[in-house]
Amino acid sequence: MKKILAFLLAAGFVLYGAAASESASSAFVEGCRFYSEGEWASAKMLLKKAVAYPENLTPDVYYMLISAEVYDGDYKGALDDCNVYLDSFPDSLYVSNVSFQKGFSLYNMGEYEKSIIALSDFCHQFEGSELYSSALFYIGEALFASYQYDEASAIFERIVTEFPDAPKAPAAQYRIESILQRAREEKLLYLLKQTGEEYLSAKEEYEKQLKMYNSDSVNTTRQKLAEATSRNEELERQILDLEHQLSAVKTEEAYTYISSNAVKYTDDVDVPNAEPYDETKEQIKLLKQKALEAQKMLEEQY
């Protein structure tokens, strides 16, 4: 009886193992299929299930999971899995890409300071990476979002100067122009404020001269009133001119914003606004090809 029970128990473990293996393969195959079709939410769910099985816990599968999470906009999930990946597979081929995606995910979560640190570490460790200029760009974007315009402008100028052919170079140039436009607007606002204060002071002096009309000599008072009136009129013209300039700057900024949020510039260049993660097309092609090959191979086995 004991031998029979032992045999049944062993057989049960074998059957359980076979079923688990089949589930692992099924999750991986389906995850690959959805990944290759760009169905990121489904790919993310199935690849998450797949890596729960030891046989699927490989750098390739885990990297596909992180990519699917990034494409699906699940930056919190991507960040968590990036940390797991970097701890589990420190010598993997995809370490540089995962390091970039970690900083990119932090940026999209609004963690700008942490994003700057993570992307700066990436630039320090992987200076020869094709994602280097993109990492610089998102450092600049994080600085821009944190109102550190001078620092951001320096980063964007570096991209335009050192990487003129990089995919993010036109977007960096756009940001430089935006910062310059913002500086012009702030200068006009400052001048408007200063002129307005001077106008109020001159107006008070004018009213003071009116009150003194009865106590001063007529000629003296008339001269002071004429001077005050002339000054007020000049200041009013200055204020009106500054308001027109400010309005023109805002109109130009609005036009630039609307134009930049169209599908493309006139020179067919993407703009830096709410765009998806721009992993290189060659990487996407290779990963999809790998996913399809893995799917085909496993389908032939079952």
Side-chain angles (χ1 to χ4, degrees), residues 188 191-200 231-247:
L188 284 171
L191 290 173
L192 184 59
K193 179 183 177 183
Q194 293 296 104
T195 306
E197 290 175 355
E198 190 176 350
Y199 171 75
L200 290 175
R231 181 58 180 158
N232 282 348
E233 291 174 350
E234 173 62 24
L235 288 171
E236 286 177 346
R237 283 195 295 271
Q238 289 183 26
I239 289 174
L240 185 61
D241 181 56
L242 286 171
E243 287 177 342
H244 285 161
Q245 290 184 52
L246 185 59
S247 177

Side-chain angles (χ1 to χ4, degrees), residues 192-259:
L192 184 59
K193 179 183 177 183
Q194 293 296 104
T195 306
E197 290 175 355
E198 190 176 350
Y199 171 75
L200 290 175
S201 177
K203 188 176 181 182
E204 288 177 3
E205 180 64 22
Y206 175 78
E207 292 172 350
K208 180 180 177 182
Q209 295 300 329
L210 281 176
K211 291 178 182 178
M212 293 174 59
Y213 183 82
N214 293 327
S215 58
D216 267 346
S217 66
V218 174
N219 290 336
T220 301
T221 303
R222 282 178 177 174
Q223 182 180 354
K224 290 182 178 179
L225 284 173
E227 291 174 355
T229 301
S230 176
R231 181 58 180 158
N232 282 348
E233 291 174 350
E234 173 62 24
L235 288 171
E236 286 177 346
R237 283 195 295 271
Q238 289 183 26
I239 289 174
L240 185 61
D241 181 56
L242 286 171
E243 287 177 342
H244 285 161
Q245 290 184 52
L246 185 59
S247 177
V249 169
K250 287 182 176 292
T251 301
E252 180 185 353
E253 184 176 7
Y255 177 77
T256 303
Y257 178 81
I258 292 170
S259 300

Side-chain angles (χ1 to χ4, degrees), residues 85-150:
Y85 188 102
L86 294 172
D87 288 338
S88 303
F89 312 108
D91 300 320
S92 166
L93 177 66
Y94 304 112
V95 165
S96 63
N97 291 45
V98 173
S99 297
F100 173 83
Q101 288 174 331
K102 176 180 178 179
F104 179 78
S105 296
L106 285 166
Y107 166 76
N108 281 281
M109 292 169 63
E111 297 283 356
Y112 300 127
E113 186 175 347
K114 292 180 180 179
S115 173
I116 292 169
I117 293 172
L119 290 170
S120 296
D121 287 343
F122 167 85
C123 290
H124 178 71
Q125 295 179 48
F126 307 103
E127 190 171 352
S129 172
E130 59 185 8
L131 292 172
Y132 186 86
S133 60
S134 292
L136 284 179
F137 176 78
Y138 286 109
I139 290 173
E141 287 286 86
L143 289 168
F144 182 86
S146 303
Y147 306 102
Q148 301 179 59
Y149 300 124
D150 290 341

Side-chain angles (χ1 to χ4, degrees), residues 133 136-137 155-164 166 168-169 172:
S133 60
L136 284 179
F137 176 78
I155 293 292
F156 293 133
E157 286 175 1
R158 182 183 172 191
I159 294 170
V160 172
T161 302
E162 297 182 19
F163 307 96
K168 291 297 182 185

